[in-house]
Amino acid sequence: FRRMQSTGLYGQTWTLRTTSLPSFEQQVDTRTPTAVLWGGLLVTVLATITALMSSISRERAAALSAARQETQRILESIDDAFFAVDGDWRFTYLNPQAEKLLHRPAGRLLQKNLWEEFPEAVGSEFERRYQQARARQESVSFVEYYPPLQTWFEVNACPHG
């Protein structure tokens, strides 16, 4: 038994081909249209559910990508320098202003450890206050001079996760 059916789903046309297996036809009297209909219907329903789930996954991926792009656009439009680090203090994001302030392009810092890239900050007020923010899960603000860059920094550190 073979059957083809086209169905529209989320603006796309899906062609579903249903073929019963010889073992199915041997177990069921294929002269009885009901048995063949139910077998084909089950396959059609399962194929439709699979197509629907695939379509939903693509839509979610597109929405997630759009949200990431919007977040990046917002972070890059901020006038202040902004960077993010993960739980191991590795840089995960730097906006263009942070690149300028730290005198390094994002490509050189991403996935690198903050303390290894700026070893003079180890033991400084920067490390103490960043560690404090993370340990207490509360924002901290401070002003500190960083001699290697000959720059005063006004820092607002906000822990996440």
Side-chain angles (χ1 to χ4, degrees):
F1 173 78
R2 292 174 194 254
R3 179 177 178 201
M4 282 184 57
Q5 180 175 341
S6 293
T7 183
L9 188 62
Y10 289 103
Q12 295 181 4
T13 301
W14 302 85
T15 301
L16 306 173
R17 296 172 196 214
T18 306
T19 305
S20 63
L21 300 172
S23 59
F24 175 77
E25 291 178 8
Q26 288 172 1
Q27 294 173 3
V28 177
D29 181 2
T30 57
R31 291 172 289 161
T32 308
T34 306
V36 175
L37 174 64
W38 282 110
L41 180 62
L42 177 61
V43 171
T44 301
V45 167
L46 290 175
T48 302
I49 290 171
T50 301
L52 176 62
M53 296 305 288
S54 175
S55 179
I56 290 171
S57 294
R58 282 193 300 277
E59 288 177 10
R60 281 188 175 169
L64 181 59
S65 176
R68 283 185 181 147
Q69 289 173 354
E70 177 68 6
T71 301
Q72 184 170 353
R73 187 189 64 73
I74 290 168
L75 291 174
E76 289 179 358
S77 70
I78 295 173
D79 290 334
D80 293 328
F82 173 86
F83 68 85
V85 294
D86 65 13
D88 294 321
W89 299 100
R90 290 184 305 245
F91 286 96
T92 58
Y93 179 81
L94 291 92
N95 71 357
Q97 293 77 358
E99 292 178 272
K100 291 175 192 168
L101 196 61
L102 298 175
H103 302 281
R104 298 194 197 164
R108 242 185 89 199
L109 291 174
L110 289 175
Q111 299 305 312
K112 301 284 178 72
N113 181 279
L114 168 68
W115 310 118
E116 291 172 6
E117 292 300 311
F118 298 94
E120 294 86 354
V122 174
S124 73
E125 189 69 10
F126 291 101
E127 182 183 32
R128 282 190 290 282
R129 299 301 292 270
Y130 287 160
Q131 294 284 4
Q132 173 191 350
R134 180 171 284 172
R136 296 182 183 171
Q137 285 297 294
E138 63 185 24
S139 299
V140 297
S141 297
F142 61 98
V143 175
E144 185 68 20
Y145 183 74
Y146 188 65
L149 296 179
Q150 299 176 352
T151 304
W152 282 94
F153 289 86
E154 181 179 346
V155 178
N156 295 297
C158 306
H160 64 87

